[in-house]
Amino acid sequence: MGELRVQERTEVTSPTRAIAGATIEIAGLWREYGERAVLRDLTVSVSTGETLAVLGPNGAGKTTLLRILATLLRPSAGSVSVLGCALPKEAWRARGRIGYLGHEPLLYRDLSCVENLRFQARLYGLAPDAEERTAELLDRVGMSRRTDELVRNLSAGMVQRLAVCRSVLHRPELLLLDEPRSHLDPEAAALVEPLIGAAPGRTRVIVTHDVEDGLAEGDRVLALRAGGAAAYEGPASGLSAGGARAIYGAAP
């Protein structure tokens, strides 16, 4: 049955007219690797200023979804619009407005903390305030005394703090966060919270395995089953912690 649905899916299309105030619109999204479907017929809308929490077991396609929204992967079918830009056709218009924090820190190990951020600042064309912005972020995450230290010499927690700085350096309109507090102790998590936490007008998609935190943080929740189909999509208030946990043990 699953294979039949893959064959019947539609090709990638341009999104229909944007919903007013929507930062993300997904309709009938499929993503396949060869003959294996990783995401199956997802439809989601996230309004500006909302947080979407994405829950689900390993192999449910959570990271794949985030990478599609970050313009790092192409959808196999369906339509995806981010910040009013149809993906993948208009990905170039969206990239500079997105902050992506994934499993990989996307930092150069043989550059120092400040060199990494300066390089990113040049990519985003942040001159002339690049130095001020870089110094501000390093100070806010408690790394102002580690600016000249090479990334390869940092602990995992320090690398994650620096990756947070990288992801918000250009003041993005949309944050895509994949387990953003991993490797962080409580003190470090508190330091990065103002940069990546909920704030008025800040739109976020957060992938997490912490059911309680996800339900508390999210305005909306997308819960995926193993195999990439949606088990629940709607307001966070409509899904209990017990119901979310049950999805982790459900058959694909």
Side-chain angles (χ1 to χ4, degrees), residues 59-227:
K62 304 182 298 299
T63 294
T64 297
L65 173 61
L66 221 60
R67 287 175 60 82
I68 289 172
L69 296 177
T71 77
L72 300 175
L73 286 176
R74 298 170 63 95
S76 299
S79 65
V80 180
S81 173
V82 173
L83 296 165
C85 305
L87 302 186
K89 183 177 180 180
E90 298 178 307
W92 62 274
R93 291 181 51 218
R95 287 190 183 114
R97 302 160 63 192
I98 296 169
Y100 174 65
L101 182 62
H103 289 163
E104 296 296 326
L106 302 181
L107 299 167
Y108 291 95
R109 290 173 51 81
D110 291 323
L111 295 181
S112 69
C113 299
V114 71
E115 287 170 339
N116 266 282
L117 295 186
R118 283 172 180 164
F119 175 72
Q120 292 290 329
R122 286 198 298 272
L123 291 179
Y124 287 112
L126 297 187
D129 66 339
E131 290 296 320
E132 180 180 351
R133 177 65 171 164
T134 295
E136 171 205 351
L137 288 173
L138 289 171
D139 182 62
R140 291 181 68 175
V141 301
M143 294 185 64
S144 57
R145 296 184 179 182
R146 313 291 289 271
T147 59
D148 295 322
E149 191 159 344
L150 298 182
V151 168
R152 59 182 164 85
N153 295 331
L154 298 176
S155 68
M158 288 290 183
V159 170
Q160 187 71 359
R161 292 192 209 188
L162 186 60
V164 168
C165 294
R166 175 196 54 73
S167 68
V168 302
L169 180 67
H170 54 302
R171 298 180 177 89
E173 299 170 51
L174 170 64
L175 285 177
L176 304 175
L177 308 170
D178 200 344
E179 299 284 353
R181 300 173 187 90
S182 62
H183 306 301
L184 297 179
D185 60 32
E187 180 182 359
L191 287 173
V192 305
E193 189 63 20
L195 298 175
I196 61 172
R202 181 181 289 169
T203 308
R204 303 182 302 159
V205 179
I206 301 180
V207 168
T208 181
H209 283 298
D210 190 320
V211 169
E212 284 78 8
D213 279 359
L215 293 176
E217 275 200 275
D219 300 293
R220 303 186 66 79
V221 172
L222 172 64
L224 298 174
R225 294 187 178 93

Side-chain angles (χ1 to χ4, degrees), residues 1-9 30 32 35 37 40:
M1 185 65 179
E3 293 180 357
L4 178 61
R5 292 183 63 189
V6 173
Q7 293 169 355
E8 292 179 345
R9 60 170 175 68
W30 289 76
E32 299 159 7
E35 297 182 356
R40 298 170 180 267

Side-chain angles (χ1 to χ4, degrees), residues 234-249:
S237 58
L239 182 65
S240 68
R245 288 194 199 93
I247 293 167
Y248 281 74

Side-chain angles (χ1 to χ4, degrees), residues 17-42:
R17 189 175 64 179
I19 299 171
T23 294
I24 296 171
E25 294 177 68
I26 298 170
L29 171 64
W30 289 76
R31 172 64 196 190
E32 299 159 7
Y33 293 105
E35 297 182 356
R36 181 171 64 92
V38 179
L39 294 172
R40 298 170 180 267
D41 198 20
L42 298 184

